Amino acid sequence: MTLPAPVSRRSFVVASVGAALALGVSSQAQAQAQAHARGRGPFGRYGSPSARLDERTLYVHPGGLGDHTTVQAAVNAASGSGYTLVIAPGTYRETVSVSVARTEMTWVGASGEARDVVVVYDNAAGTPKPGGGTYGTTGSATSLVQADGFTARDLTFANDWLRADHPGISGTQAVAIKVQGDRSAFVGCRFLGHQDTLYADSMALGTFARQYYRDCYVEGDVDFVFGRATAVYESCHFRTLIRDDLTGAPYGFVFAPSTAGANPRGYLVTGGRISSEAPDAYYKLARPWVPSSDTTARPMLTVRGTRMSAGIDAVEPYTNMSSGFPWQDQRFAEYRNAGPGAVVSVPENRPQLTSSEARSHTREAYLGDWTPWKGC
């Protein structure tokens, strides 16, 4: 298929960072000016290298005013558990990996505004690797977090790879962040991409990693929130994007959980909203992902108390990824949602929880003895 000429827009980055970004290039001076305009230095209320909060606080600044100029350099320097990275406004064009040994790590966007601090790169699954082959979905991730106890506040995680710029590449999955650790929390963060934006997963099939997302913004088009983690998305905003390469519906799918069959808890979306750039009914709410590596998966998604725009197909909100694993055999349910995309016009297409069943689909039930909402 011949694709249209590239559109001069990296919408999800430019719109998110405003004047601080232009086609993926940051204006560090402007970002710093914004921080100073708020009456503080580049690290806000979090100290500085000369006034360090403690010995396990490291400062990242793209212009050299911190301990490190890249996020990965700061991660590498955090050789044990319990480090905090305070990241100054700017765009950090790099890939970042947090290994399993770097537990209880916290990243803080110093300005308190996620738009100001952006970690971004542009690999896709089909991008050629320097040593041969291609990256694959996991390898495309801008950020990879494998450590337990990771927390991020007020940051943007992005992958600005665009299909229109690479018509010869068929592997269009381009992950902004893959999270595999248990007790991973994200507050006030933004996750920007197109296909496979937020990969909420675990380290192994038998590991039920718990993740918590609050007051976050996620956008994309195909399966842009996916994976096998036990994940709670509380008061989050999901936005579906327009697509210039397709002429008809569906453009894509918001959720694609791959919950292990033995895991009693998958994805819970509560108190959020789903908006859309696309025409009415051009997006499905979800489809189940049963990977070839785990054909016993039983994807689980519960959406409750969430407002859905007309961009979601209210008549047929779910579809299959594979005919061998129909969505009706999975664990999809809704409860007291609102908006034109949540209208129950064909009841058999929209399984609803009873009030009694809904009592077991709460953040407390999903996260167990871990209570991140009390400390965030």
Side-chain angles (χ1 to χ4, degrees), residues 130-219:
T134 59
Y135 281 102
T137 300
T138 292
S140 75
T142 298
S143 297
L144 173 64
V145 177
Q146 297 183 312
D148 291 343
F150 180 85
T151 299
R153 298 187 183 92
D154 305 321
L155 298 164
T156 293
F157 298 89
N159 188 317
D160 62 358
W161 189 90
L162 291 178
R163 299 181 186 94
D165 292 346
H166 305 276
I169 291 180
S170 59
T172 57
Q173 301 89 343
V175 177
I177 187 170
K178 181 173 183 177
V179 186
Q180 295 179 283
D182 185 37
R183 295 178 291 103
S184 300
F186 296 81
V187 179
C189 290
R190 295 165 65 84
F191 305 91
L192 311 178
H194 280 270
Q195 183 172 351
D196 291 4
T197 305
L198 172 54
Y199 195 170
D201 206 53
S202 69
M203 285 295 292
L205 179 59
T207 301
F208 304 154
R210 296 164 295 175
Q211 300 174 18
Y212 179 66
Y213 301 82
R214 193 184 77 194
D215 298 325
C216 290
Y217 173 88
V218 193
E219 67 177 36

Side-chain angles (χ1 to χ4, degrees), residues 150-350:
F150 180 85
T151 299
R153 298 187 183 92
D154 305 321
L155 298 164
T156 293
F157 298 89
N159 188 317
D160 62 358
W161 189 90
L162 291 178
R163 299 181 186 94
D165 292 346
H166 305 276
I169 291 180
S170 59
T172 57
Q173 301 89 343
V175 177
I177 187 170
K178 181 173 183 177
V179 186
Q180 295 179 283
D182 185 37
R183 295 178 291 103
S184 300
F186 296 81
V187 179
C189 290
R190 295 165 65 84
F191 305 91
L192 311 178
H194 280 270
Q195 183 172 351
D196 291 4
T197 305
L198 172 54
Y199 195 170
D201 206 53
S202 69
M203 285 295 292
L205 179 59
T207 301
F208 304 154
R210 296 164 295 175
Q211 300 174 18
Y212 179 66
Y213 301 82
R214 193 184 77 194
D215 298 325
C216 290
Y217 173 88
V218 193
E219 67 177 36
D221 50 40
V222 177
D223 304 331
F224 63 93
V225 182
F226 74 114
R228 68 180 172 220
T230 294
V232 174
Y233 305 92
E234 185 172 37
S235 301
C236 291
H237 179 190
F238 306 90
R239 185 160 179 82
T240 63
L241 300 176
I242 196 71
R243 292 189 63 174
D244 299 308
D245 58 320
L246 297 179
T247 59
Y251 277 176
F253 321 89
V254 182
F255 302 100
S258 59
T259 321
N263 189 350
R265 301 282 183 254
Y267 285 0
L268 172 65
V269 179
T270 178
R273 65 183 175 118
I274 302 172
S275 65
S276 183
E277 292 182 358
D280 292 357
Y282 265 52
Y283 273 88
K284 303 293 187 182
L285 179 60
R287 62 178 181 171
W289 177 30
V290 179
S292 58
S293 59
D294 177 24
T295 57
T296 65
R298 284 198 67 214
M300 182 178 184
L301 168 70
T302 298
V303 182
R304 60 178 299 168
T306 292
R307 182 170 184 82
M308 303 183 201
S309 76
I312 297 299
D313 182 353
V315 176
E316 296 183 354
Y318 305 105
T319 191
N320 300 332
M321 187 177 292
S322 169
S323 60
F325 302 98
W327 73 264
Q328 293 91 340
D329 292 346
Q330 313 311 323
R331 294 176 285 178
F332 287 178
E334 301 177 51
Y335 183 68
R336 292 187 177 178
N337 295 314
V343 172
V344 183
S345 57
V346 183
E348 59 267 31
N349 288 347
R350 306 203 77 145

Side-chain angles (χ1 to χ4, degrees), residues 88-122:
T91 302
Y92 300 84
R93 179 161 285 278
E94 57 177 306
T95 59
V96 185
S97 179
V98 181
S99 69
V100 293
R102 291 170 167 82
T103 58
E104 313 303 326
M105 177 175 281
T106 298
W107 294 7
V108 178
S111 72
E113 295 287 343
R115 294 172 183 269
D116 294 343
V117 184
V118 182
V119 182
V120 59
Y121 209 71
D122 61 349

